[in-house]
Amino acid sequence: MVSTFPNSSTVNLTNVRLEIRSLQPQLVEWRRRIHQKPELGFQEKLTAEFISQKLQSWGIEHQTEIAETGIVAIIKGEKSGNEQVLAIRADMDALPILEANEVAYCSQHDGVMHACGHDGHTAIALGTAYYLHHHRQDF
């Protein structure tokens, strides 16, 4: 993976942290929504649709149905002269496990749950896409 994000001497990391922190309520909401609708590998139709809708609403170019349910989003920086690429990957599949947690956002799909953290990975990837898209001028 090659990063094209400016080095810390050109970026106010305090501002980055504050902006990311302001996304926390959305990240929690997305993670819980994904957690409630877990899907096994290559069956993540609802999850892929949710991600695609978010990307589309933000104006982020993307392709769906990669290897059946995968998504590839493209966020192009606006600075010229640097053709490096940053790739971010997140799993979004769940496991065939009955959820026994007693939380308001527990799995609504019997016998399937996000016991491995992929709901969190997906929410973080969405937050990263949102942030990078809104800061294209910085890279």
Side-chain angles (χ1 to χ4, degrees), residues 57-93:
S57 74
W58 300 329
I60 297 176
E61 175 187 346
H62 65 284
Q63 287 182 280
T64 60
E65 300 179 357
I66 306 298
E68 296 186 43
T69 57
I71 297 174
V72 173
I74 307 292
I75 302 170
K76 296 178 182 174
E78 295 176 350
K79 286 190 173 182
S80 62
N82 194 342
E83 301 302 322
Q84 294 179 338
V85 173
L86 169 65
I88 300 169
R89 180 187 180 279
D91 291 320
M92 58 186 187
D93 62 316

Side-chain angles (χ1 to χ4, degrees), residues 43-136:
Q43 298 174 23
E44 308 98 326
K45 302 286 186 200
L46 295 173
T47 306
E49 183 179 318
F50 175 74
I51 295 165
S52 181
Q53 287 173 352
K54 290 292 179 196
L55 295 172
Q56 185 173 7
S57 74
W58 300 329
I60 297 176
E61 175 187 346
H62 65 284
Q63 287 182 280
T64 60
E65 300 179 357
I66 306 298
E68 296 186 43
T69 57
I71 297 174
V72 173
I74 307 292
I75 302 170
K76 296 178 182 174
E78 295 176 350
K79 286 190 173 182
S80 62
N82 194 342
E83 301 302 322
Q84 294 179 338
V85 173
L86 169 65
I88 300 169
R89 180 187 180 279
D91 291 320
M92 58 186 187
D93 62 316
L95 297 171
I97 298 173
L98 179 65
E99 182 163 18
N101 297 323
E102 294 181 16
V103 292
Y105 55 88
C106 72
S107 172
Q108 296 174 356
H109 296 165
D110 286 340
V112 182
M113 78 170 283
H114 278 288
C116 52
H118 292 174
D119 50 346
H121 295 169
T122 303
I124 291 167
L126 275 173
T128 302
Y130 178 90
Y131 181 86
L132 290 173
H133 179 69
H134 287 87
H135 291 275
R136 295 183 309 277

Side-chain angles (χ1 to χ4, degrees), residues 25-44:
Q26 283 295 157
L27 294 170
V28 170
E29 179 185 320
W30 299 334
R31 185 248 171 200
R32 288 180 176 178
R33 192 292 186 185
I34 294 164
H35 188 89
Q36 285 183 307
K37 311 272 188 207
E39 300 166 290
L40 299 175
F42 300 103
Q43 298 174 23
E44 308 98 326

